[in-house]
Amino acid sequence: SLRTGIMAGATCPIEVMKRVIEQMHMAEVQIAYGMTETSPVTHFVAAQRQNWTKYGSVGAVVAGMDAKLIDTETGREVADGERGELCVRGPNVMAGYFNNDEATRRTIDEDGWLHTGDVAVVDAEGDFTIVDRVKELIKYKGYQVPPAELEALLLGHDAIADAAVIPVPDEEAG
């Protein structure tokens, strides 16, 4: 009897999402992205977007919000299709953390952009896909390696049921 579902809260592996849709015989799935600091949503895939095939995408930024992706090293805005930290700005973004000015300054910059800590890409249609977390990036010989990408590769193998990739300090590689 379940016809509509909303997926939110954490990145859901594409294969798991497809399996839920198929096994539950759902007519439509709505996908939401946000955080407590954004009361609560910044991106949404509405049910009206029939034949949605961008599994893993959180859709377009909601009305009244602005979003951009910035290079985690330089702070400069990145081009469509490139990875960058997702920053959002709008009326539903919190004013700051209660009694914690330092945490507020680390999260919201002087122009009012809230730095989510999520790494995303945006396509030409304006749909965003969360691909990793800034704090979880593994630095290896100067490269930034997203654990989620390695996990997805591992999960694509028939002999692997689940995977978690974590950094391990290495004297030579970093």
Side-chain angles (χ1 to χ4, degrees):
S1 65
L2 182 63
R3 302 245 185 254
T4 300
I6 297 177
M7 293 191 177
T11 302
C12 181
I14 293 168
E15 291 307 315
V16 173
M17 188 182 298
K18 287 180 180 178
R19 205 169 341 141
V20 167
I21 292 166
E22 290 168 11
Q23 290 179 357
M24 307 268 318
H25 307 287
M26 296 167 70
E28 59 189 22
V29 173
Q30 299 174 355
I31 302 164
Y33 169 85
M35 50 200 305
T36 302
E37 291 87 344
T38 61
S39 304
V41 76
T42 62
H43 293 73
F44 192 70
V45 177
Q48 295 82 2
R49 291 185 79 172
Q50 296 300 318
N51 302 316
W52 180 256
T53 58
K54 296 180 185 178
Y55 291 103
S57 172
V58 296
V61 66
V62 298
M65 292 289 303
D66 295 316
K68 68 178 182 177
L69 301 177
I70 62 167
D71 183 282
T72 57
E73 299 292 322
T74 66
R76 292 192 189 116
E77 208 165 334
V78 301
D80 289 358
E82 292 182 18
R83 293 170 173 267
E85 181 183 8
L86 175 61
C87 298
V88 295
R89 181 172 64 182
N92 56 318
V93 172
M94 69 171 185
Y97 293 107
F98 183 68
N99 287 336
N100 196 339
D101 293 338
E102 183 180 331
T104 299
R105 279 191 300 278
R106 283 194 315 263
T107 305
I108 302 173
D109 66 27
E110 58 277 350
D111 294 322
W113 290 98
L114 182 137
H115 294 246
T116 66
D118 286 323
V119 178
V121 294
V122 61
D123 65 22
E125 291 82 39
D127 291 312
F128 288 74
T129 300
I130 308 300
V131 295
D132 224 318
R133 297 271 310 145
V134 171
K135 292 178 183 174
E136 293 173 359
L137 287 174
I138 299 169
K139 307 235 176 166
Y140 176 76
K141 294 186 177 181
Y143 293 98
Q144 293 186 11
V145 181
E149 270 189 24
L150 296 177
E151 291 165 355
L153 284 170
L154 292 168
L155 290 171
H157 193 284
D158 292 339
I160 298 176
D162 202 0
V165 174
I166 60 168
V168 176
D170 182 274
E171 285 184 31
E172 184 181 323

mmCIF file of all heavy atoms in Angstrom, residues 7-19 21 29-34 43-45 49 51-60 83 86 118-123 126-132 148 152:
data_model
loop_
_atom_site.group_PDB
_atom_site.id
_atom_site.type_symbol
_atom_site.label_atom_id
_atom_site.label_comp_id
_atom_site.label_asym_id
_atom_site.label_seq_id
_atom_site.Cartn_x
_atom_site.Cartn_y
_atom_site.Cartn_z
ATOM 1 N N MET A 7 13.336 9.855 0.790
ATOM 2 C CA MET A 7 14.654 9.420 1.229
ATOM 3 C C MET A 7 15.418 10.659 1.651
ATOM 4 O O MET A 7 15.531 11.609 0.883
ATOM 5 C CB MET A 7 15.372 8.681 0.110
ATOM 6 C CG MET A 7 14.723 7.370 -0.231
ATOM 7 S SD MET A 7 15.773 6.408 -1.319
ATOM 8 C CE MET A 7 14.795 4.928 -1.445
ATOM 9 N N ALA A 8 15.937 10.629 2.874
ATOM 10 C CA ALA A 8 16.683 11.768 3.408
ATOM 11 C C ALA A 8 17.497 11.289 4.595
ATOM 12 O O ALA A 8 17.328 10.171 5.061
ATOM 13 C CB ALA A 8 15.715 12.866 3.842
ATOM 14 N N GLY A 9 18.352 12.138 5.081
ATOM 15 C CA GLY A 9 19.075 11.839 6.314
ATOM 16 C C GLY A 9 20.513 11.417 6.107
ATOM 17 O O GLY A 9 21.364 11.733 6.902
ATOM 18 N N ALA A 10 20.788 10.679 5.048
ATOM 19 C CA ALA A 10 22.149 10.244 4.750
ATOM 20 C C ALA A 10 22.185 9.778 3.305
ATOM 21 O O ALA A 10 21.150 9.424 2.731
ATOM 22 C CB ALA A 10 22.570 9.113 5.680
ATOM 23 N N THR A 11 23.376 9.778 2.746
ATOM 24 C CA THR A 11 23.519 9.310 1.378
ATOM 25 C C THR A 11 23.164 7.834 1.317
ATOM 26 O O THR A 11 23.625 7.043 2.128
ATOM 27 C CB THR A 11 24.964 9.521 0.885
ATOM 28 O OG1 THR A 11 25.263 10.911 0.995
ATOM 29 C CG2 THR A 11 25.126 9.088 -0.547
ATOM 30 N N CYS A 12 22.321 7.487 0.377
ATOM 31 C CA CYS A 12 21.880 6.104 0.204
ATOM 32 C C CYS A 12 22.564 5.542 -1.040
ATOM 33 O O CYS A 12 22.467 6.139 -2.117
ATOM 34 C CB CYS A 12 20.364 6.067 0.043
ATOM 35 S SG CYS A 12 19.695 4.407 -0.145
ATOM 36 N N PRO A 13 23.263 4.409 -0.917
ATOM 37 C CA PRO A 13 23.873 3.813 -2.104
ATOM 38 C C PRO A 13 22.822 3.585 -3.195
ATOM 39 O O PRO A 13 21.694 3.174 -2.918
ATOM 40 C CB PRO A 13 24.437 2.488 -1.597
ATOM 41 C CG PRO A 13 24.642 2.708 -0.130
ATOM 42 C CD PRO A 13 23.534 3.630 0.293
ATOM 43 N N ILE A 14 23.191 3.854 -4.435
ATOM 44 C CA ILE A 14 22.263 3.790 -5.555
ATOM 45 C C ILE A 14 21.599 2.422 -5.653
ATOM 46 O O ILE A 14 20.386 2.326 -5.857
ATOM 47 C CB ILE A 14 22.984 4.160 -6.865
ATOM 48 C CG1 ILE A 14 23.382 5.634 -6.816
ATOM 49 C CG2 ILE A 14 22.112 3.890 -8.083
ATOM 50 C CD1 ILE A 14 24.333 6.065 -7.908
ATOM 51 N N GLU A 15 22.357 1.353 -5.502
ATOM 52 C CA GLU A 15 21.780 0.006 -5.618
ATOM 53 C C GLU A 15 20.742 -0.242 -4.529
ATOM 54 O O GLU A 15 19.727 -0.886 -4.766
ATOM 55 C CB GLU A 15 22.876 -1.059 -5.594
ATOM 56 C CG GLU A 15 23.752 -1.036 -6.837
ATOM 57 C CD GLU A 15 22.948 -1.110 -8.143
ATOM 58 O OE1 GLU A 15 22.026 -1.925 -8.255
ATOM 59 O OE2 GLU A 15 23.266 -0.316 -9.058
ATOM 60 N N VAL A 16 20.992 0.257 -3.327
ATOM 61 C CA VAL A 16 20.030 0.101 -2.233
ATOM 62 C C VAL A 16 18.757 0.879 -2.557
ATOM 63 O O VAL A 16 17.641 0.387 -2.379
ATOM 64 C CB VAL A 16 20.630 0.569 -0.890
ATOM 65 C CG1 VAL A 16 19.579 0.582 0.215
ATOM 66 C CG2 VAL A 16 21.805 -0.320 -0.504
ATOM 67 N N MET A 17 18.910 2.107 -3.061
ATOM 68 C CA MET A 17 17.756 2.930 -3.408
ATOM 69 C C MET A 17 16.893 2.241 -4.468
ATOM 70 O O MET A 17 15.673 2.155 -4.334
ATOM 71 C CB MET A 17 18.222 4.294 -3.918
ATOM 72 C CG MET A 17 17.089 5.287 -4.125
ATOM 73 S SD MET A 17 17.655 6.874 -4.773
ATOM 74 C CE MET A 17 18.736 7.432 -3.474
ATOM 75 N N LYS A 18 17.523 1.712 -5.500
ATOM 76 C CA LYS A 18 16.784 1.016 -6.563
ATOM 77 C C LYS A 18 16.050 -0.205 -6.013
ATOM 78 O O LYS A 18 14.901 -0.459 -6.358
ATOM 79 C CB LYS A 18 17.738 0.592 -7.682
ATOM 80 C CG LYS A 18 18.227 1.728 -8.545
ATOM 81 C CD LYS A 18 19.164 1.196 -9.624
ATOM 82 C CE LYS A 18 19.692 2.293 -10.509
ATOM 83 N NZ LYS A 18 20.634 1.774 -11.520
ATOM 84 N N ARG A 19 16.729 -0.946 -5.137
ATOM 85 C CA ARG A 19 16.128 -2.142 -4.557
ATOM 86 C C ARG A 19 14.898 -1.797 -3.714
ATOM 87 O O ARG A 19 13.872 -2.475 -3.776
ATOM 88 C CB ARG A 19 17.161 -2.871 -3.708
ATOM 89 C CG ARG A 19 16.883 -4.338 -3.559
ATOM 90 C CD ARG A 19 18.037 -5.114 -2.956
ATOM 91 N NE ARG A 19 19.301 -4.412 -3.042
ATOM 92 C CZ ARG A 19 20.211 -4.403 -2.077
ATOM 93 N NH1 ARG A 19 20.005 -5.054 -0.962
ATOM 94 N NH2 ARG A 19 21.340 -3.749 -2.206
ATOM 95 N N ILE A 21 12.913 0.831 -4.041
ATOM 96 C CA ILE A 21 11.846 1.248 -4.950
ATOM 97 C C ILE A 21 11.181 0.042 -5.595
ATOM 98 O O ILE A 21 9.951 -0.073 -5.638
ATOM 99 C CB ILE A 21 12.400 2.218 -6.025
ATOM 100 C CG1 ILE A 21 12.810 3.539 -5.371
ATOM 101 C CG2 ILE A 21 11.371 2.461 -7.129
ATOM 102 C CD1 ILE A 21 13.658 4.429 -6.252
ATOM 103 N N VAL A 29 9.263 8.377 -5.512
ATOM 104 C CA VAL A 29 10.167 8.617 -4.391
ATOM 105 C C VAL A 29 10.584 10.078 -4.439
ATOM 106 O O VAL A 29 10.941 10.591 -5.493
ATOM 107 C CB VAL A 29 11.417 7.723 -4.474
ATOM 108 C CG1 VAL A 29 12.417 8.101 -3.402
ATOM 109 C CG2 VAL A 29 11.038 6.263 -4.334
ATOM 110 N N GLN A 30 10.502 10.726 -3.317
ATOM 111 C CA GLN A 30 10.962 12.097 -3.197
ATOM 112 C C GLN A 30 12.262 12.062 -2.413
ATOM 113 O O GLN A 30 12.390 11.309 -1.461
ATOM 114 C CB GLN A 30 9.908 12.949 -2.498
ATOM 115 C CG GLN A 30 8.600 12.978 -3.259
ATOM 116 C CD GLN A 30 7.493 13.691 -2.511
ATOM 117 O OE1 GLN A 30 7.645 14.099 -1.374
ATOM 118 N NE2 GLN A 30 6.360 13.841 -3.174
ATOM 119 N N ILE A 31 13.223 12.858 -2.852
ATOM 120 C CA ILE A 31 14.530 12.857 -2.219
ATOM 121 C C ILE A 31 14.784 14.243 -1.646
ATOM 122 O O ILE A 31 14.594 15.247 -2.336
ATOM 123 C CB ILE A 31 15.624 12.486 -3.240
ATOM 124 C CG1 ILE A 31 15.318 11.108 -3.828
ATOM 125 C CG2 ILE A 31 17.001 12.513 -2.592
ATOM 126 C CD1 ILE A 31 16.068 10.794 -5.095
ATOM 127 N N ALA A 32 15.189 14.290 -0.387
ATOM 128 C CA ALA A 32 15.428 15.573 0.275
ATOM 129 C C ALA A 32 16.846 15.616 0.831
ATOM 130 O O ALA A 32 17.397 14.599 1.240
ATOM 131 C CB ALA A 32 14.435 15.776 1.403
ATOM 132 N N TYR A 33 17.427 16.814 0.828
ATOM 133 C CA TYR A 33 18.737 17.040 1.425
ATOM 134 C C TYR A 33 18.661 18.305 2.260
ATOM 135 O O TYR A 33 18.073 19.309 1.855
ATOM 136 C CB TYR A 33 19.829 17.220 0.352
ATOM 137 C CG TYR A 33 21.132 17.708 0.948
ATOM 138 C CD1 TYR A 33 22.035 16.812 1.489
ATOM 139 C CD2 TYR A 33 21.434 19.065 0.999
ATOM 140 C CE1 TYR A 33 23.217 17.254 2.068
ATOM 141 C CE2 TYR A 33 22.612 19.519 1.572
ATOM 142 C CZ TYR A 33 23.495 18.604 2.104
ATOM 143 O OH TYR A 33 24.657 19.044 2.682
ATOM 144 N N GLY A 34 19.265 18.256 3.400
ATOM 145 C CA GLY A 34 19.337 19.419 4.269
ATOM 146 C C GLY A 34 20.073 19.040 5.530
ATOM 147 O O GLY A 34 20.683 17.987 5.619
ATOM 148 N N HIS A 43 17.679 21.150 -0.714
ATOM 149 C CA HIS A 43 17.545 20.540 -2.040
ATOM 150 C C HIS A 43 16.442 19.487 -1.971
ATOM 151 O O HIS A 43 16.263 18.829 -0.947
ATOM 152 C CB HIS A 43 18.854 19.868 -2.465
ATOM 153 C CG HIS A 43 19.965 20.837 -2.693
ATOM 154 N ND1 HIS A 43 20.607 21.477 -1.652
ATOM 155 C CD2 HIS A 43 20.527 21.295 -3.824
ATOM 156 C CE1 HIS A 43 21.531 22.284 -2.153
ATOM 157 N NE2 HIS A 43 21.502 22.191 -3.474
ATOM 158 N N PHE A 44 15.725 19.333 -3.106
ATOM 159 C CA PHE A 44 14.584 18.424 -3.085
ATOM 160 C C PHE A 44 14.271 17.934 -4.496
ATOM 161 O O PHE A 44 14.344 18.701 -5.449
ATOM 162 C CB PHE A 44 13.358 19.167 -2.525
ATOM 163 C CG PHE A 44 12.206 18.274 -2.184
ATOM 164 C CD1 PHE A 44 12.273 17.401 -1.112
ATOM 165 C CD2 PHE A 44 11.046 18.310 -2.940
ATOM 166 C CE1 PHE A 44 11.198 16.586 -0.791
ATOM 167 C CE2 PHE A 44 9.970 17.491 -2.624
ATOM 168 C CZ PHE A 44 10.054 16.635 -1.538
ATOM 169 N N VAL A 45 13.952 16.658 -4.597
ATOM 170 C CA VAL A 45 13.443 16.086 -5.848
ATOM 171 C C VAL A 45 11.976 15.799 -5.597
ATOM 172 O O VAL A 45 11.625 14.902 -4.834
ATOM 173 C CB VAL A 45 14.167 14.773 -6.226
ATOM 174 C CG1 VAL A 45 13.551 14.188 -7.491
ATOM 175 C CG2 VAL A 45 15.653 15.025 -6.426
ATOM 176 N N ARG A 49 8.590 15.231 -10.677
ATOM 177 C CA ARG A 49 9.658 14.955 -11.646
ATOM 178 C C ARG A 49 9.616 13.472 -11.990
ATOM 179 O O ARG A 49 10.368 12.661 -11.478
ATOM 180 C CB ARG A 49 11.009 15.355 -11.083
ATOM 181 C CG ARG A 49 11.128 16.877 -10.964
ATOM 182 C CD ARG A 49 12.479 17.293 -10.530
ATOM 183 N NE ARG A 49 13.420 17.249 -11.649
ATOM 184 C CZ ARG A 49 14.663 17.714 -11.558
ATOM 185 N NH1 ARG A 49 15.084 18.252 -10.438
ATOM 186 N NH2 ARG A 49 15.470 17.643 -12.578
ATOM 187 N N ASN A 51 9.800 9.884 -13.935
ATOM 188 C CA ASN A 51 10.885 9.187 -14.621
ATOM 189 C C ASN A 51 12.265 9.666 -14.172
ATOM 190 O O ASN A 51 13.193 9.758 -14.956
ATOM 191 C CB ASN A 51 10.742 9.325 -16.141
ATOM 192 C CG ASN A 51 9.415 8.789 -16.618
ATOM 193 O OD1 ASN A 51 8.986 7.723 -16.184
ATOM 194 N ND2 ASN A 51 8.751 9.535 -17.493
ATOM 195 N N TRP A 52 12.388 9.984 -12.915
ATOM 196 C CA TRP A 52 13.657 10.435 -12.342
ATOM 197 C C TRP A 52 14.676 9.306 -12.470
ATOM 198 O O TRP A 52 14.442 8.199 -12.018
ATOM 199 C CB TRP A 52 13.448 10.808 -10.885
ATOM 200 C CG TRP A 52 14.677 11.284 -10.183
ATOM 201 C CD1 TRP A 52 15.434 10.590 -9.297
ATOM 202 C CD2 TRP A 52 15.298 12.559 -10.308
ATOM 203 N NE1 TRP A 52 16.481 11.347 -8.855
ATOM 204 C CE2 TRP A 52 16.423 12.562 -9.460
ATOM 205 C CE3 TRP A 52 15.017 13.702 -11.051
ATOM 206 C CZ2 TRP A 52 17.254 13.654 -9.331
ATOM 207 C CZ3 TRP A 52 15.852 14.792 -10.923
ATOM 208 C CH2 TRP A 52 16.951 14.759 -10.068
ATOM 209 N N THR A 53 15.788 9.576 -13.096
ATOM 210 C CA THR A 53 16.803 8.544 -13.283
ATOM 211 C C THR A 53 18.149 8.932 -12.698
ATOM 212 O O THR A 53 19.113 8.208 -12.852
ATOM 213 C CB THR A 53 16.994 8.237 -14.786
ATOM 214 O OG1 THR A 53 17.349 9.446 -15.449
ATOM 215 C CG2 THR A 53 15.732 7.649 -15.387
ATOM 216 N N LYS A 54 18.216 10.062 -12.043
ATOM 217 C CA LYS A 54 19.481 10.512 -11.459
ATOM 218 C C LYS A 54 19.609 9.977 -10.038
ATOM 219 O O LYS A 54 19.673 10.727 -9.071
ATOM 220 C CB LYS A 54 19.573 12.039 -11.474
ATOM 221 C CG LYS A 54 19.601 12.639 -12.860
ATOM 222 C CD LYS A 54 19.685 14.155 -12.769
ATOM 223 C CE LYS A 54 19.586 14.801 -14.119
ATOM 224 N NZ LYS A 54 19.613 16.266 -14.022
ATOM 225 N N TYR A 55 19.638 8.645 -9.923
ATOM 226 C CA TYR A 55 19.775 8.037 -8.607
ATOM 227 C C TYR A 55 21.034 8.565 -7.938
ATOM 228 O O TYR A 55 22.083 8.657 -8.539
ATOM 229 C CB TYR A 55 19.840 6.516 -8.724
ATOM 230 C CG TYR A 55 18.545 5.900 -9.164
ATOM 231 C CD1 TYR A 55 18.375 5.458 -10.461
ATOM 232 C CD2 TYR A 55 17.487 5.788 -8.272
ATOM 233 C CE1 TYR A 55 17.183 4.894 -10.867
ATOM 234 C CE2 TYR A 55 16.283 5.237 -8.666
ATOM 235 C CZ TYR A 55 16.136 4.786 -9.965
ATOM 236 O OH TYR A 55 14.947 4.236 -10.361
ATOM 237 N N GLY A 56 20.905 8.938 -6.685
ATOM 238 C CA GLY A 56 22.026 9.486 -5.946
ATOM 239 C C GLY A 56 21.994 11.005 -5.889
ATOM 240 O O GLY A 56 22.617 11.600 -5.035
ATOM 241 N N SER A 57 21.252 11.638 -6.790
ATOM 242 C CA SER A 57 21.157 13.093 -6.792
ATOM 243 C C SER A 57 20.150 13.543 -5.743
ATOM 244 O O SER A 57 19.168 12.856 -5.478
ATOM 245 C CB SER A 57 20.718 13.595 -8.168
ATOM 246 O OG SER A 57 20.445 14.979 -8.120
ATOM 247 N N VAL A 58 20.398 14.718 -5.168
ATOM 248 C CA VAL A 58 19.446 15.305 -4.215
ATOM 249 C C VAL A 58 18.611 16.377 -4.888
ATOM 250 O O VAL A 58 17.842 17.073 -4.242
ATOM 251 C CB VAL A 58 20.147 15.867 -2.956
ATOM 252 C CG1 VAL A 58 20.813 14.736 -2.176
ATOM 253 C CG2 VAL A 58 21.152 16.956 -3.307
ATOM 254 N N GLY A 59 18.764 16.519 -6.201
ATOM 255 C CA GLY A 59 17.942 17.451 -6.961
ATOM 256 C C GLY A 59 18.439 18.877 -6.922
ATOM 257 O O GLY A 59 19.600 19.156 -6.629
ATOM 258 N N ALA A 60 17.533 19.771 -7.241
ATOM 259 C CA ALA A 60 17.851 21.193 -7.351
ATOM 260 C C ALA A 60 17.657 21.898 -6.010
ATOM 261 O O ALA A 60 16.940 21.417 -5.131
ATOM 262 C CB ALA A 60 16.951 21.836 -8.402
ATOM 263 N N ARG A 83 33.933 18.729 -8.491
ATOM 264 C CA ARG A 83 33.660 18.531 -7.070
ATOM 265 C C ARG A 83 33.971 19.793 -6.287
ATOM 266 O O ARG A 83 34.952 20.476 -6.567
ATOM 267 C CB ARG A 83 34.539 17.409 -6.509
ATOM 268 C CG ARG A 83 34.230 16.062 -7.050
ATOM 269 C CD ARG A 83 35.315 15.076 -6.610
ATOM 270 N NE ARG A 83 34.930 13.753 -6.992
ATOM 271 C CZ ARG A 83 34.262 12.918 -6.199
ATOM 272 N NH1 ARG A 83 33.981 13.270 -4.971
ATOM 273 N NH2 ARG A 83 33.907 11.732 -6.629
ATOM 274 N N LEU A 86 29.732 21.975 -0.763
ATOM 275 C CA LEU A 86 28.428 22.609 -0.927
ATOM 276 C C LEU A 86 28.248 23.690 0.128
ATOM 277 O O LEU A 86 28.388 23.437 1.328
ATOM 278 C CB LEU A 86 27.314 21.566 -0.806
ATOM 279 C CG LEU A 86 25.883 22.080 -0.846
ATOM 280 C CD1 LEU A 86 25.591 22.784 -2.174
ATOM 281 C CD2 LEU A 86 24.909 20.940 -0.619
ATOM 282 N N ASP A 118 29.784 18.940 3.107
ATOM 283 C CA ASP A 118 29.541 17.895 2.112
ATOM 284 C C ASP A 118 30.184 18.280 0.794
ATOM 285 O O ASP A 118 30.155 19.444 0.391
ATOM 286 C CB ASP A 118 28.038 17.691 1.892
ATOM 287 C CG ASP A 118 27.386 16.966 3.055
ATOM 288 O OD1 ASP A 118 28.026 16.059 3.622
ATOM 289 O OD2 ASP A 118 26.248 17.305 3.397
ATOM 290 N N VAL A 119 30.765 17.310 0.119
ATOM 291 C CA VAL A 119 31.340 17.502 -1.204
ATOM 292 C C VAL A 119 30.292 17.064 -2.214
ATOM 293 O O VAL A 119 29.671 16.007 -2.065
ATOM 294 C CB VAL A 119 32.636 16.686 -1.383
ATOM 295 C CG1 VAL A 119 33.199 16.844 -2.789
ATOM 296 C CG2 VAL A 119 33.667 17.092 -0.335
ATOM 297 N N ALA A 120 30.073 17.894 -3.238
ATOM 298 C CA ALA A 120 29.029 17.611 -4.217
ATOM 299 C C ALA A 120 29.504 17.974 -5.618
ATOM 300 O O ALA A 120 30.552 18.597 -5.791
ATOM 301 C CB ALA A 120 27.762 18.404 -3.865
ATOM 302 N N VAL A 121 28.706 17.576 -6.596
ATOM 303 C CA VAL A 121 28.856 18.034 -7.975
ATOM 304 C C VAL A 121 27.481 18.513 -8.415
ATOM 305 O O VAL A 121 26.458 18.055 -7.896
ATOM 306 C CB VAL A 121 29.379 16.937 -8.938
ATOM 307 C CG1 VAL A 121 30.791 16.525 -8.595
ATOM 308 C CG2 VAL A 121 28.453 15.734 -8.944
ATOM 309 N N VAL A 122 27.452 19.455 -9.366
ATOM 310 C CA VAL A 122 26.187 19.926 -9.917
ATOM 311 C C VAL A 122 26.265 19.745 -11.426
ATOM 312 O O VAL A 122 27.310 19.992 -12.033
ATOM 313 C CB VAL A 122 25.877 21.389 -9.522
ATOM 314 C CG1 VAL A 122 26.921 22.346 -10.040
ATOM 315 C CG2 VAL A 122 24.478 21.795 -9.965
ATOM 316 N N ASP A 123 25.168 19.290 -12.020
ATOM 317 C CA ASP A 123 25.168 19.090 -13.468
ATOM 318 C C ASP A 123 24.580 20.303 -14.178
ATOM 319 O O ASP A 123 24.173 21.282 -13.545
ATOM 320 C CB ASP A 123 24.444 17.788 -13.848
ATOM 321 C CG ASP A 123 22.962 17.782 -13.511
ATOM 322 O OD1 ASP A 123 22.345 18.861 -13.360
ATOM 323 O OD2 ASP A 123 22.394 16.674 -13.421
ATOM 324 N N GLY A 126 21.302 21.754 -13.069
ATOM 325 C CA GLY A 126 21.197 22.318 -11.725
ATOM 326 C C GLY A 126 20.890 21.301 -10.644
ATOM 327 O O GLY A 126 20.539 21.666 -9.525
ATOM 328 N N ASP A 127 21.048 20.012 -10.960
ATOM 329 C CA ASP A 127 20.820 18.969 -9.959
ATOM 330 C C ASP A 127 22.136 18.628 -9.264
ATOM 331 O O ASP A 127 23.157 18.413 -9.915
ATOM 332 C CB ASP A 127 20.226 17.723 -10.612
ATOM 333 C CG ASP A 127 18.800 17.954 -11.084
ATOM 334 O OD1 ASP A 127 17.999 18.489 -10.292
ATOM 335 O OD2 ASP A 127 18.484 17.611 -12.242
ATOM 336 N N PHE A 128 22.100 18.590 -7.941
ATOM 337 C CA PHE A 128 23.275 18.343 -7.124
ATOM 338 C C PHE A 128 23.339 16.881 -6.701
ATOM 339 O O PHE A 128 22.314 16.260 -6.427
ATOM 340 C CB PHE A 128 23.237 19.220 -5.860
ATOM 341 C CG PHE A 128 23.479 20.677 -6.116
ATOM 342 C CD1 PHE A 128 22.501 21.477 -6.702
ATOM 343 C CD2 PHE A 128 24.685 21.258 -5.773
ATOM 344 C CE1 PHE A 128 22.717 22.827 -6.935
ATOM 345 C CE2 PHE A 128 24.916 22.617 -6.010
ATOM 346 C CZ PHE A 128 23.940 23.392 -6.591
ATOM 347 N N THR A 129 24.557 16.358 -6.611
ATOM 348 C CA THR A 129 24.785 15.010 -6.104
ATOM 349 C C THR A 129 25.859 15.096 -5.038
ATOM 350 O O THR A 129 26.953 15.612 -5.290
ATOM 351 C CB THR A 129 25.242 14.063 -7.234
ATOM 352 O OG1 THR A 129 24.226 14.028 -8.237
ATOM 353 C CG2 THR A 129 25.457 12.647 -6.707
ATOM 354 N N ILE A 130 25.543 14.625 -3.845
ATOM 355 C CA ILE A 130 26.503 14.602 -2.742
ATOM 356 C C ILE A 130 27.407 13.388 -2.971
ATOM 357 O O ILE A 130 26.920 12.274 -3.134
ATOM 358 C CB ILE A 130 25.798 14.488 -1.370
ATOM 359 C CG1 ILE A 130 24.709 15.568 -1.219
ATOM 360 C CG2 ILE A 130 26.810 14.534 -0.234
ATOM 361 C CD1 ILE A 130 25.185 16.992 -1.299
ATOM 362 N N VAL A 131 28.716 13.625 -2.977
ATOM 363 C CA VAL A 131 29.643 12.533 -3.263
ATOM 364 C C VAL A 131 30.552 12.190 -2.089
ATOM 365 O O VAL A 131 31.156 11.116 -2.079
ATOM 366 C CB VAL A 131 30.487 12.822 -4.527
ATOM 367 C CG1 VAL A 131 29.598 12.883 -5.763
ATOM 368 C CG2 VAL A 131 31.280 14.115 -4.392
ATOM 369 N N ASP A 132 30.655 13.064 -1.113
ATOM 370 C CA ASP A 132 31.523 12.763 0.025
ATOM 371 C C ASP A 132 31.402 13.842 1.085
ATOM 372 O O ASP A 132 30.599 14.756 0.956
ATOM 373 C CB ASP A 132 32.983 12.646 -0.405
ATOM 374 C CG ASP A 132 33.652 11.441 0.240
ATOM 375 O OD1 ASP A 132 33.423 11.204 1.442
ATOM 376 O OD2 ASP A 132 34.377 10.737 -0.459
ATOM 377 N N ALA A 148 33.792 7.483 -0.249
ATOM 378 C CA ALA A 148 32.529 7.017 -0.835
ATOM 379 C C ALA A 148 32.738 6.427 -2.224
ATOM 380 O O ALA A 148 32.072 5.457 -2.603
ATOM 381 C CB ALA A 148 31.518 8.157 -0.888
ATOM 382 N N ALA A 152 31.872 2.598 -3.202
ATOM 383 C CA ALA A 152 30.982 2.274 -4.316
ATOM 384 C C ALA A 152 31.626 1.262 -5.250
ATOM 385 O O ALA A 152 30.959 0.324 -5.725
ATOM 386 C CB ALA A 152 30.597 3.543 -5.073
#
